[in-house]
Amino acid sequence: MRILHIANFYGDKSGGIRTTIHNLGHSYIQRGHEFTFIVPGSGFYCEETPTGRMIHLPSILIPFSGGYRIIRRNKDVKNLITTLKPDAIEISDRFTLSQIGTWARKRGIPAVVLSHETLSGLVKTHLRFSLTRFVNWHNRRLASRFKYVIATTQFAAKEFKEIGTPNLVTIPLGVDLVNFHPRNRDESLRTELLKGADILLVHCGRLSPEKKPERSMQALELLLQQGINAHLVYVGIGPLQKKLMQASKDLPVTFLGYVAGRQKLAAILSSADISLAPGPIETFCLAAMESLASGTPVVASKTSAVGEFLLLGSEHPVGAVFDNTALGYAEAIKDVMRLRSRNSDLARQCNQQAENFPWSATVSQMLRLHDDSQKVKKAQHRLRAA
């Protein structure tokens, strides 16, 4: 099968979408399929990669986004689709690329869209009020353009369920269980990052407004005031980086920037005491899942999807959630500190929970969708031939 994935907001230092595409591509190729992905670039060029053929198209740099780009012309995408003749199309952009779904359907090519974000959450974050009628209209239109809308969690699926979307499918993303594991814990690296502190907090993610990275620093200040000797490490870059660095001048905070090597990132996550995920509208949060795979419990916003993975309310939770306030955040961090102190098996339990989300399961479910599409497509061809 020839599978084509088209994405915006992809770059050398982008996070979740890049990781998702690479893992899907690698797994598709291992199972004997052909995989190509189209992403924004500085010009038009093609390269072969271990995760498939990557085609860059001329794009527009989005101001104040920290380097994100979107493909300049959908016409270029359509021309490539005509040339590549894919059997199935995957779209990772519910906004500027949504028209591709309708265009592809008219040409007999089944297309699915992955909803990596919640529109209702984005509206509330950036506009401070809800636009329910607009959100519902957009989501209905999006669903009508694709064979399936794929949500990665129940949280991501909620706004589509509320309008009765008939072609909604929930497929969780996966986690790299080979590279992320408790065995990567490095005591010398931990000592280096602690800089004399007792508790190592790691915030891994893009430093952008919708992810509320400043909340981790606000919680740290409260912990310090309560006599807890903690050090906060930020892993990632984004438009808020400079502002955060200025605000951290008198605080025990380290900014590591973008960490390219998976092994280095895995060592950082597994050497931390707690991983922080304050984004209030995260629809999956791969960094949180990678932290669990590394044996590190997670503190996350109670309004995001991350709580779905933390076994909250069970006998052995692997993290905690907070109410989107600095005080609530600090208290949740202390709850997990107490959890660590009384549960010597916590790292193994975190890793076991992550093992429920292998990429192999994600890929199997995606291929079942595509195979179903192919059966429908072939049946239609036979009817025409008859």
Side-chain angles (χ1 to χ4, degrees):
M1 187 189 309
R2 292 189 300 273
I3 302 173
L4 175 64
H5 196 116
I6 311 165
N8 277 317
F9 313 108
Y10 174 101
D12 292 337
K13 297 180 180 180
S14 57
I17 289 179
R18 177 186 174 90
T19 300
T20 298
I21 293 173
H22 288 193
N23 279 281
L24 288 177
H26 177 73
S27 298
Y28 288 153
I29 292 169
Q30 281 191 323
R31 300 189 187 199
H33 302 285
E34 182 181 316
F35 184 70
T36 302
F37 56 109
I38 300 173
V39 296
S42 57
F44 176 78
Y45 59 100
C46 176
E47 59 182 307
E48 296 295 331
T49 78
T51 56
R53 179 192 302 149
M54 178 164 59
I55 301 176
H56 299 260
L57 285 180
S59 61
I60 301 168
L61 183 64
I62 304 174
F64 311 112
S65 69
Y68 276 160
R69 291 176 172 270
I70 58 171
I71 295 169
R72 185 179 299 164
R73 299 191 309 166
N74 281 354
K75 182 179 179 181
D76 294 337
V77 176
K78 295 171 183 177
N79 288 339
L80 274 175
I81 294 173
T82 301
T83 301
L84 296 170
K85 296 180 171 60
D87 297 308
I89 296 174
E90 301 170 351
I91 299 287
S92 281
D93 180 0
R94 56 145 60 207
F95 303 112
T96 66
L97 293 174
S98 68
Q99 290 182 345
I100 298 298
T102 303
W103 182 90
R105 185 179 64 241
K106 291 178 179 177
R107 287 153 182 81
I109 310 170
V112 301
V113 60
L114 287 83
S115 182
H116 292 282
E117 58 283 297
T118 163
L119 180 56
S120 57
L122 288 173
V123 167
K124 289 178 183 177
T125 297
H126 294 287
L127 299 181
R128 305 296 181 184
F129 55 85
S130 61
L131 295 173
T132 304
R133 292 180 65 181
F134 167 76
V135 169
N136 290 344
W137 168 80
H138 173 88
N139 286 337
R140 287 192 183 96
R141 187 182 66 160
L142 180 72
S144 70
R145 292 179 169 182
F146 291 91
K147 185 168 184 62
Y148 295 109
V149 175
I150 300 171
T152 56
T153 56
Q154 294 303 315
F155 173 73
K158 182 181 177 182
E159 64 183 13
F160 291 99
K161 288 182 176 179
E162 288 175 346
I163 58 172
T165 302
N167 55 334
L168 173 67
V169 179
T170 302
I171 300 179
L173 298 181
V175 63
D176 180 352
L177 294 166
V178 175
N179 285 312
F180 293 94
H181 193 275
R183 64 172 171 265
N184 294 315
R185 186 177 176 89
D186 185 331
E187 291 300 333
S188 61
L189 174 62
R190 173 179 165 78
T191 300
E192 177 187 337
L193 294 174
L194 276 170
K195 299 186 184 301
D198 300 321
I199 304 296
L200 181 59
L201 307 174
V202 171
H203 176 122
C204 182
R206 184 168 172 76
L207 306 181
S208 53
E210 73 279 3
K211 295 182 180 291
K212 305 297 182 186
E214 70 279 3
R215 285 181 174 163
S216 294
M217 198 181 303
Q218 292 165 358
L220 173 68
E221 289 187 84
L222 288 177
L223 293 173
L224 294 171
Q225 290 169 13
Q226 296 172 30
I228 297 173
N229 187 17
H231 192 97
L232 172 62
V233 173
Y234 280 101
V235 179
I237 59 174
L240 293 182
Q241 182 172 349
K242 186 177 292 186
K243 182 178 179 180
L244 289 169
M245 292 179 74
Q246 291 172 345
S248 70
K249 286 182 180 179
D250 299 320
L251 295 171
V253 179
T254 300
F255 291 85
L256 295 182
Y258 177 75
V259 176
R262 303 290 280 173
Q263 288 299 322
K264 178 65 179 294
L265 177 60
I268 293 169
L269 292 178
S270 61
S271 301
D273 292 299
I274 301 172
S275 178
L276 307 179
I281 57 172
E282 293 285 353
T283 55
F284 191 84
C285 192
L286 281 167
M289 189 60 73
E290 289 167 350
S291 298
L292 292 179
S294 300
T296 303
V298 176
V299 174
S301 164
K302 71 184 300 183
T303 62
S304 77
V306 180
E308 295 180 28
F309 315 130
L310 301 183
L311 302 177
L312 303 176
S314 72
E315 187 178 350
H316 299 293
V318 292
V321 295
F322 71 98
D323 59 3
N324 294 338
T325 66
L327 179 60
Y329 201 175
E331 289 302 314
I333 291 172
K334 290 194 293 183
D335 286 344
V336 176
M337 288 169 56
R338 287 189 285 269
L339 184 64
R340 286 193 68 100
S341 67
R342 65 174 182 259
N343 185 358
S344 60
D345 206 27
L346 183 58
R348 184 184 64 83
Q349 290 166 359
C350 289
N351 178 258
Q352 283 184 331
Q353 171 62 353
E355 286 179 340
N356 291 314
F357 298 88
W359 275 111
S360 58
T362 305
V363 170
S364 293
Q365 292 179 76
M366 291 293 293
L367 287 174
R368 278 197 290 271
L369 287 188
H370 294 325
D371 285 343
D372 174 64
S373 298
Q374 287 303 298
K375 289 171 186 174
V376 172
K377 184 178 177 183
K378 289 174 183 176
Q380 290 174 339
H381 288 173
R382 284 196 296 271
L383 285 171
R384 289 195 192 102

